[in-house]
């Protein structure tokens, strides 16, 4: 998203974006290549650059990381039983009943991080 939509939308090359973000070009390239995660610091920089919220970038990174973890653990996860927390316990720990079960990200987002 960052490489394919945001930077072109801002009219910035990777080199120019790195300069404006005040990071090394290699640092930004690692994020774009998916070999480095978007840290809270980078999310704050990206938010400032793009006029978005830092949480937007952190949420994208988290969805990307969760998707990859689910893929890597697919065989093991089928062996783990699922137990349901009673609604009273869900409320006590701050879960809404409809959010207690995980909903997979939309298929268009699968495998795509903030790159």
């Amino acid at each position: 998203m960052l490489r394919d939509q945001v930077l072109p939308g801002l009219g910035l090359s990777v080199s120019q974006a790195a300069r404006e973000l005040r990071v090394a070009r290699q640092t930004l390239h690692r994020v774009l290549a998916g070999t480095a995660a978007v840290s809270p610091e980078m999310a704050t920089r990206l938010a400032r650059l793009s006029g978005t919220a830092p949480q937007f970038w952190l949420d994208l990174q988290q969805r990307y990381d969760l998707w990859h973890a689910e893929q890597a653990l697919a065989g093991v996860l089928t062996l783990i039983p699922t137990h349901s927390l009673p609604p009273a316990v869900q409320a006590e720990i701050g879960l809404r009943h409809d959010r207690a079960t995980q909903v997979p990200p939309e298929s268009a987002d699968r495998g795509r991080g903030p790159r």
Side-chain angles (χ1 to χ4, degrees):
M1 180 181 298
L2 179 58
R3 176 186 50 232
D4 299 335
Q5 295 175 304
V6 175
L7 294 183
L10 295 172
L12 296 174
S13 68
V14 174
S15 295
Q16 180 65 30
R19 279 192 298 275
E20 292 188 14
L21 288 166
R22 307 284 192 237
V23 298
R25 190 171 44 91
Q26 294 81 5
T27 300
L28 184 55
H29 271 290
R30 285 192 294 273
V31 171
L32 296 172
T35 60
V38 172
S39 65
E41 178 185 296
M42 181 60 80
T44 302
R45 291 172 187 262
L46 291 170
R48 176 67 178 204
L49 182 73
S50 63
T52 59
Q55 193 64 47
F56 170 76
W57 297 104
L58 291 174
D59 288 347
L60 284 176
Q61 183 65 53
Q62 186 175 45
R63 287 177 30 201
Y64 178 81
D65 292 344
L66 280 171
W67 186 85
H68 281 281
E70 288 171 344
Q71 301 311 299
L73 295 171
V76 173
L77 293 177
T78 60
L79 303 174
I80 299 173
T82 301
H83 301 274
S84 296
L85 288 171
V89 175
Q90 290 181 27
E92 190 175 318
I93 65 174
L95 288 177
R96 290 188 6 230
H97 181 65
D98 60 330
R99 296 194 58 145
T101 57
Q102 181 179 354
V103 178
E106 304 208 9
S107 59
D109 293 332
R110 288 191 180 268
R112 301 208 54 194
R115 300 183 274 167

